[in-house]
Amino acid sequence: QTIQSRLIIIALVILTSGCESFVEISPPRTESVSATVYADDASAVSAIRGIYHEMNRTGFASGQFSSVTVCASTSSDELKSFNVSLDEFYNNSITPTNTIVGGSLWTSLYKYIYYTNSVIEGLQASSGVSATMKKQLEGEAKFLRAFCYFYLVNLFGDVPLILTTDYRKNAVCVRNTKAEIFAQTIMDLNEAQLLLSSDYLFTSGERVRANSGAASALLARVFLYTSDWNKAEVQATTVINNTSLFKIVTVPNAVFLKNSNEAIWQLMPITPLANTYEAQYFVPTSPTSVPAYVSITDQLNNAFEPGDKRKINWISSQTVSGTTYYYPFKYKVSKAGFPLTEYSMVLRLAEQYLIRAEARAQQNKLPEAAADIDVVRQRAGLPSILTIIPSVSQDNVLAAIEQERKVELFTEWGHRWFDLKRWNKATNVLQSLKTGWAPTDVLYPIPQSELINNPNLNPQNPGY
């Protein structure tokens, strides 16, 4: 069954434990939402909360070994593989039958998109949900759809643009261009900005669902990726200037705590008595064990300036049989049974400063760009970038931004992998590090099963 024809509906019951469960409608039908799912505000909220729950539970967004964080970091120069499941990513030798690409990336992303389309259609058809609640939930659904499409287009290139729950249309869809996908993403985010709450009162202060700040933050990133420098600067400034909600956390080890002032959007862990999957999969299980899945590469470990607090606090190591292994340590609570103190960070303020710095530098606003870089460097305990770069030229400032993104955003949501590709530097950086690297490796393959079930998705990405 193709992902486009998966008709799993979100009808979740919020239990006292905070967990939700999916209700599956069978047999499949074009009417994706029953009247009972959107009978009132509470049931509609259950549906949208179910998407966040599912995103954190498994697959693309979970932080597990099959997540975009681990897979894309392993494809880049950040992580090396210690697990056969990740070897194809580390060696950039992914096959179209790879189960992580086909399941945890492609399938889970389209599953979330199906859910968001279902929510949008259900809200439009509902007479029982209040107007205020409809606005918020539609905004969240459009934000989440844009979020998923951002990752699909950056992982796979041209992909189908699915905006309906009609399985008959979805099963025969064609691939849309990157430009078309980005245009829809921008449209969704512009609408979400107007629909979403401006604060976190609707979540009792928890930063675990999207508000208008999240829409602005993602929109700033999309404009950066599409080289719309002025709009990227404007959107990032909107977030940065909202100082009542967002502030740079001065202590590095406090950045990734739940509801951190730097957090724009986080995912709340859902496993009972456990914190983030990132900590569980990055941190070795005992003082005498090697990392089970990945460790930090020499290239990343050696990229930090002396005294950088990010290396001191966000990377840890242990020595086993005379070999020292370095691993990401942004999330520290790896064992079960401890209080929930860390949430998985999705969007945070430091990225917005680096987005604005790059957008400003591209517009030749070099002093302003340097000032944004310094906000991030100050937290890291480093001197002004103007004392490091040989001259204040556009090329030198852009090079400084690339460096700061590398050491600030490492092992977060594929930033490094996407940066290397959008800067057209993947081949220059990776061909000397990866055996058999080819320029076509910058895109993952379309899953073979999808091409078989829907020939309209052909041709396969180049190189596969």
Side-chain angles (χ1 to χ4, degrees), residues 118-133:
S118 178
V119 168
I120 293 167
E121 292 174 6
L123 291 171
Q124 291 171 346
S126 172
S127 60
V129 180
S130 68
T132 300
M133 186 61 70

Side-chain angles (χ1 to χ4, degrees), residues 189 214-225 228 231-237 239 351-352 355-356:
L189 291 172
S216 297
L218 185 55
L219 197 51
R221 187 195 294 176
V222 171
F223 283 136
L224 186 78
Y225 275 56
D228 198 332
K231 289 182 180 178
E233 179 185 3
V234 168
Q235 295 298 326
T237 299
V239 181
E351 183 200 356
Q352 296 301 302
I355 286 174
R356 191 170 72 172

Side-chain angles (χ1 to χ4, degrees), residues 74 129 155 189 285 348 362:
T74 308
V129 180
L155 291 172
L189 291 172
T285 55
R348 62 185 179 98
Q362 291 286 3

Side-chain angles (χ1 to χ4, degrees), residues 299-459:
Q299 288 73 28
L300 175 57
N301 193 49
N302 296 330
F304 296 83
E305 297 169 50
D308 193 324
K309 292 180 181 179
R310 292 170 291 199
K311 182 173 184 179
I312 296 168
N313 293 280
W314 292 351
I315 292 178
S316 191
S317 66
Q318 65 185 35
T319 302
V320 180
S321 300
T323 300
T324 300
Y325 300 90
Y326 297 89
Y327 55 89
F329 202 47
K330 290 178 172 178
Y331 302 96
K332 307 182 189 306
V333 187
S334 60
K335 304 292 185 182
F338 288 87
L340 184 56
T341 58
E342 297 175 342
Y343 289 172
S344 181
M345 185 75 76
V346 190
L347 298 171
R348 62 185 179 98
L349 189 59
E351 183 200 356
Q352 296 301 302
Y353 275 101
L354 294 175
I355 286 174
R356 191 170 72 172
E358 186 173 346
R360 285 174 162 176
Q362 291 286 3
Q363 298 173 85
N364 218 35
K365 301 177 181 179
L366 303 183
E368 295 90 341
D372 283 338
I373 298 171
D374 283 347
V375 172
V376 180
R377 288 177 61 83
Q378 183 178 14
R379 195 250 304 283
L382 298 176
S384 170
I385 193 62
L386 299 178
T387 67
I388 303 298
I389 60 178
S391 64
V392 185
S393 68
Q394 186 181 56
D395 287 345
N396 286 336
V397 172
L398 286 172
I401 292 165
E402 292 179 21
Q403 167 66 12
E404 288 303 316
R405 289 184 65 90
K406 181 177 183 178
V407 294
E408 176 70 27
L409 302 174
F410 69 91
T411 64
E412 292 183 52
W413 290 90
H415 282 295
R416 176 64 174 170
W417 177 236
F418 296 160
D419 283 347
L420 289 175
K421 296 197 296 179
R422 69 185 179 89
W423 293 329
N424 294 316
K425 294 188 175 183
T427 293
N428 289 340
V429 171
L430 299 177
Q431 64 182 348
S432 63
L433 304 175
K434 306 281 188 140
T435 302
W437 168 267
T440 52
D441 292 336
V442 293
L443 292 179
Y444 291 167
I446 305 299
Q448 188 64 32
S449 59
E450 299 292 326
L451 297 177
I452 292 172
N453 287 322
N454 178 13
N456 290 337
L457 296 178
N458 282 291

